[in-house]
Amino acid sequence: MRLALGVEYDGSGFSGWQRLSQAGALEPDGSLQTALEIALSKVANSRIDTICAGRTDAGVHARCQVVHFDTEATRDARGWVLGATANLPPTMAVRWCVPVAAGFSARFSAVARRYRYRILNRSARPGLERQYLGWERMPLDAAAMHHAAQALRGERDFSAFRSVQCQATHARRNLQEICVIRTGDEVVVEVQANAFLHHMVRNIVGSLLVVGRGERPPEWIAELLDGRDRTVAGPTAPAAGLLFLGPKYPRHWGLPEEACGDE
């Protein structure tokens, strides 16, 4: 049986999603994947290996990370949800579990992935929710940031916004939506693409902050995109402000509404 799970987590204190050791017994290693697999293996009474929709970095959070796994264990959905969550650290929880067809892949069946980056924009650093916020003390022009970001829409080469550690075979991605809005002291960047490069969202946000502070004009983002040179773009924004909202899948897979998108 193949099952899909929706998992939420606070990435603070974890090394990131990916299991650090790919072989041998499952032992705690500081990764989110291993923590989940240990919990699921206890429910199944056998080893469980998972595949996720998108690996997140250290300190990055997720509202609805989707994973799939295969098992011969017979448990109902409630048993998987409650059993796994009971064995997870308090900063992780399984939200839902549904059976899926054998051809479903949490990674390859996704048609889009969505992220949100929150920036506290005030002179004083955050006291509350500091693990979920970036912080910028200089006033930001959110309208200029939004205008600049529109140059990134469409299928583009995002070499200017990928990390040097990125292992993707190419830098072309289809960025479907991006918006920047201000709500009180917060500036929020939301972005959706078919897939993302390593540090791509954080690097985009870092460059948009340069525009928001008035250090570069909005047209600079398009110049960076065309130049494909990471060394002249803005710095990588801190991990804490980044939330993986989750992937989107065609509806025929039968996942909960929050994980459904266009066919």
Side-chain angles (χ1 to χ4, degrees), residues 48-93:
I48 296 293
D49 294 295
T50 62
I51 300 294
C52 74
R55 295 176 295 184
T56 52
D57 294 328
V60 176
H61 320 294
R63 173 174 291 175
C64 186
Q65 172 73 271
V66 174
V67 306
H68 83 259
F69 63 94
D70 296 324
T71 181
E72 296 180 359
T74 303
R75 310 282 188 271
D76 62 17
R78 185 172 183 271
W80 286 110
V81 170
L82 297 183
T85 300
N87 287 287
L88 285 169
T91 51
M92 297 183 71

Side-chain angles (χ1 to χ4, degrees), residues 25 38 64 150 253:
I38 289 173
C64 186
Q150 302 317 299
W253 293 115

Side-chain angles (χ1 to χ4, degrees), residues 7 10 28 39 49 59 127 157 162 181-182 209 252-253:
V7 184
D10 179 332
D49 294 295
D157 184 319
R162 71 187 295 185
I181 61 172
R182 175 180 287 279
L209 284 169
H252 68 77
W253 293 115

